[in-house]
Amino acid sequence: EAPTSTADARRRADWPEWQAAQDRHMDKLHKYQVYSEHWFTAEEIEEMGINVIKGRWVYTFKANEFDDRVEEAGGGAPLPNARIAAKGFMQKRGIDFGAIWSPTMETGSWRALEALAVKHGYPTMQGDVSAAFYQSVPEFLQYMEPATGYQEREDGRRLVWRLEKSMPGLRDASLNWSKKFRSVLKEMQFAPCPLDPCLYYKQDMLGWAALVIHVDDIMLTGSDLPYLHEVCQGINRSVPLSFKEG
């Protein structure tokens, strides 16, 4: 079983593996420039009216990542995975978040596209956006205490992260990502369905494509496979998208 807290992880014999997982996650945060570092005293934080929320490490086993050490034995062991989740319940409306509602896919939309593809023999593709929330920018100034193991204090000041990208756990993270992806599709001339804002359609002289998105999972169908590949590559130029046929 995965650790339930950082203290639990540190007591385990396999702590070095979980620590390595934390380091990999920090590398990802740096890659996507999720935060910038700032130093404040307690007085400065109070004077500026900053709401510094906390976060926590969440530990799991990543099912789709495998340990190379056992690959030669003909199998793979799920890798320990660690990520930081913000404690969104500490946010204050009007200070570091506003609206939080984001559209949710209608289950029937996914089924309808699958049925359409099967009936007419249209090709389909599956896509997954990597680190989706880290692709969107928050509308409010948001500050967060560094995760356990990365906190620093010096001369009466403490290190605080200003979030430049949305963080999982924030109350408005889903909305920010939804707006980001909608802007990407709008630039590609996709139009949303009036009955389902997570279903999009595009048609031009080269072909047509329809896609539905559920958080960071995408399903597409369209006139032909080369056109779908072009659509996926277009999305990938704005947000990191891995995709496969079928």
Side-chain angles (χ1 to χ4, degrees):
E1 295 183 0
T4 56
S5 66
T6 303
D8 182 24
R10 287 175 170 170
R11 287 192 295 264
R12 295 166 56 123
D14 59 353
W15 162 240
E17 295 190 26
W18 293 106
Q19 189 175 33
Q22 291 183 175
D23 291 339
R24 288 196 299 272
H25 183 71
M26 293 301 296
D27 289 341
K28 179 182 286 188
L29 297 186
H30 294 151
K31 174 183 177 181
Y32 293 113
Q33 301 178 330
V34 174
Y35 66 87
S36 56
E37 296 184 344
H38 301 267
W39 292 83
F40 297 112
T41 63
E43 292 76 15
E44 289 172 335
I45 289 176
E46 185 175 354
E47 290 174 4
M48 297 171 65
I50 294 175
N51 180 38
V52 182
I53 65 173
K54 296 182 179 181
R56 68 182 298 267
W57 284 106
V58 178
Y59 302 98
T60 58
F61 286 101
K62 194 73 171 180
N64 62 346
E65 293 184 29
F66 295 92
D67 193 336
D68 294 336
R69 293 171 296 179
V70 295
E71 235 178 48
E72 296 179 359
L79 272 178
N81 183 65
R83 63 182 178 87
I84 300 170
K87 295 184 177 181
F89 63 85
M90 298 182 68
Q91 290 180 266
K92 297 180 180 179
R93 186 181 294 274
I95 295 179
D96 53 9
F97 83 98
I100 59 174
W101 181 87
S102 60
T104 304
M105 177 199 72
E106 296 285 346
T107 305
S109 297
W110 194 289
R111 294 174 178 171
L113 286 193
E114 289 182 329
L116 180 69
V118 170
K119 180 178 180 179
H120 297 283
Y122 296 137
T124 60
M125 297 191 73
Q126 307 284 340
D128 176 74
V129 180
S130 175
F133 287 173
Y134 301 153
Q135 313 306 318
S136 59
V137 178
E139 294 188 359
F140 285 74
L141 280 177
Q142 296 173 333
Y143 292 88
M144 182 174 169
E145 186 178 280
T148 302
Y150 297 88
Q151 299 165 350
E152 296 182 43
R153 291 180 181 272
E154 185 178 308
D155 298 329
R157 295 174 179 267
R158 64 164 168 153
L159 176 63
V160 174
W161 291 350
R162 187 177 74 187
L163 299 181
E164 310 295 343
K165 303 290 178 63
S166 290
M167 177 77 73
L170 293 175
R171 301 186 68 177
D172 53 350
S174 293
L175 175 60
N176 295 334
W177 160 240
S178 177
K179 289 180 177 180
K180 170 64 178 181
F181 192 71
R182 187 164 63 242
S183 69
V184 170
L185 293 183
K186 184 177 180 180
E187 289 180 4
M188 297 176 63
Q189 307 303 313
F190 273 90
C193 171
L195 301 179
D196 185 349
C198 294
L199 175 62
Y200 293 84
Y201 179 82
K202 172 184 179 179
Q203 183 173 17
D204 55 32
M205 296 179 63
L206 299 177
W208 67 270
L211 69 83
V212 62
I213 180 168
H214 177 62
V215 189
D216 57 359
D217 295 318
I218 303 171
M219 197 273 281
L220 308 91
T221 188
S223 53
D224 56 75
L225 206 51
Y227 192 79
L228 292 185
H229 273 280
E230 183 180 329
V231 169
C232 289
Q233 290 165 2
I235 296 174
N236 192 43
R237 283 191 282 270
S238 297
V239 296
L241 175 71
S242 57
F243 51 90
K244 63 180 181 179
E245 300 175 12

